[in-house]
């Protein structure tokens, strides 16, 4: 995968973004696992910022909204962290 600044994207294969095998237990991993197994939801945006204020989260989303919308035209699983937009193949 390639690391690039927020506002651009990098691509990864499909490792488990929560760093553990299926059968984990968090609500976040449930969304991911449902997406991988059942393709539900149809599109999934993982937000991996750790602790962040609502204001910081809104700013991050506003800065990247156009890129995220464009990426969802051709990809189904995207992750946004504080530095990168990660596109999964």
């Amino acid at each position: 995968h390639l690391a690039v600044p927020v506002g651009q994207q990098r691509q990864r294969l499909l490792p488990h973004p929560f760093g553990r095998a299926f059968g984990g237990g968090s609500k976040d991993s449930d969304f991911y696992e449902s997406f991988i197994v059942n393709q539900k939801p149809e599109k999934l945006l993982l937000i991996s910022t750790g602790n962040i204020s609502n204001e910081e989260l809104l700013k991050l989303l506003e800065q990247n909204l156009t890129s995220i919308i464009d990426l969802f035209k051709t990809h189904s699983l995207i992750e946004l962290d504080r530095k990168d937009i990660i596109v999964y193949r």
Side-chain angles (χ1 to χ4, degrees):
H1 61 272
L2 303 170
V4 295
V6 165
Q8 298 179 27
Q9 69 272 352
R10 60 184 170 150
Q11 292 194 358
R12 285 187 189 163
L13 296 176
L14 284 170
H16 198 288
F18 301 97
R20 59 181 171 270
F22 277 28
S26 76
K27 291 178 185 175
D28 293 335
S29 67
D30 289 349
F31 276 108
Y32 176 78
E33 292 165 14
S34 175
F35 174 82
I36 295 300
V37 173
N38 302 312
Q39 199 66 37
K40 291 182 183 178
E42 186 177 313
K43 307 273 184 185
L44 182 60
L45 174 63
L46 298 172
I47 299 177
S48 306
T49 58
N51 292 332
I52 190 171
S53 71
N54 289 341
E55 184 177 321
E56 290 173 303
L57 178 58
L58 287 172
K59 183 177 179 183
L60 186 63
L61 287 168
E62 287 171 352
Q63 290 172 343
N64 292 285
L65 187 58
T66 301
S67 295
I68 291 167
I69 290 169
D70 287 342
L71 288 167
F72 269 136
K73 291 176 184 174
T74 55
H75 302 302
S76 297
L77 179 58
I78 298 169
E79 182 176 359
L80 176 65
D81 66 21
R82 291 177 189 237
K83 296 179 182 177
D84 300 313
I85 297 173
I86 303 134
V87 177
Y88 293 90
R89 297 187 214 180

